Amino acid sequence: MLAIVLCATLAAAGEPAVDYALNCQGCHRADGAGTPGRVPALAGSVGRFMHVDGGRDYLGQVPGAALSALDDASLAGVLNWIVERFGGETDFTRYTADEVGRLRKTPLVDVEGVRTRLLARAP
C-alpha cells in the first residue's frame, strides 16, 4: 500500500523519471534501448540530436512526444531528463514549456526519414 501511495505522490509531483516510466518506457524501455525494428533507442543517439540543426525540434515533434497526454511543462521535464539520462548531455539549453508547446503543434509525419537525415549530419 505504501508503494502505491509513493508512486501516486511522485506521479502527481510531475517527476520526469516517473513521467518517463508511465508514458515512454513501454516502448523505449527502462534503459532507453528501444524496441529493435519498431522503436528507436534513445540511449546512444538522443544526445546527438542536440548537436545538429533541427535535432532539438525533432525531439519535441516526434509523435510520441508531441501527442502525449503530458502537459507542456511535464513534457519539457521529460525531454530534459531523457537528454541527460540517455544522451549524456549536461551542458545544453533546457527545454521550456513554451518551446514544447510550440514544437508539439507540428508533429512529424516522416519520423524515420527525418531521423535518418538528422543522424547522418550529427557528430
Side-chain angles (χ1 to χ4, degrees), residues 36-122:
R38 296 191 52 199
V39 178
L42 298 173
S45 68
V46 74
R48 295 175 64 201
F49 289 106
M50 302 308 283
H51 301 282
V52 62
D53 188 40
R56 180 182 181 83
D57 289 358
Y58 168 83
L59 295 178
Q61 292 175 308
V62 294
L67 304 176
S68 79
L70 294 171
D71 63 38
D72 295 344
S74 296
L75 181 55
V78 170
L79 289 172
N80 292 326
W81 184 86
I82 287 171
V83 170
E84 291 172 342
R85 168 90 173 170
F86 299 122
E89 299 290 326
T90 56
D91 187 24
F92 67 98
T93 301
R94 299 181 64 78
Y95 287 93
T96 65
D98 288 341
E99 179 184 17
V100 166
R102 178 183 56 79
L103 291 172
R104 69 190 324 183
K105 288 179 183 174
T106 54
L108 294 173
V109 176
D110 180 19
V111 178
E112 184 59 34
V114 172
R115 178 182 177 81
T116 299
R117 286 189 295 278
L118 288 171
L119 288 177
R121 296 191 330 251

Side-chain angles (χ1 to χ4, degrees), residues 14-41:
E15 293 292 326
V18 174
D19 285 339
Y20 176 84
L22 295 174
N23 295 279
C24 313
Q25 182 172 304
C27 297
H28 288 287
R29 300 173 44 180
D31 61 358
T35 306
R38 296 191 52 199
V39 178

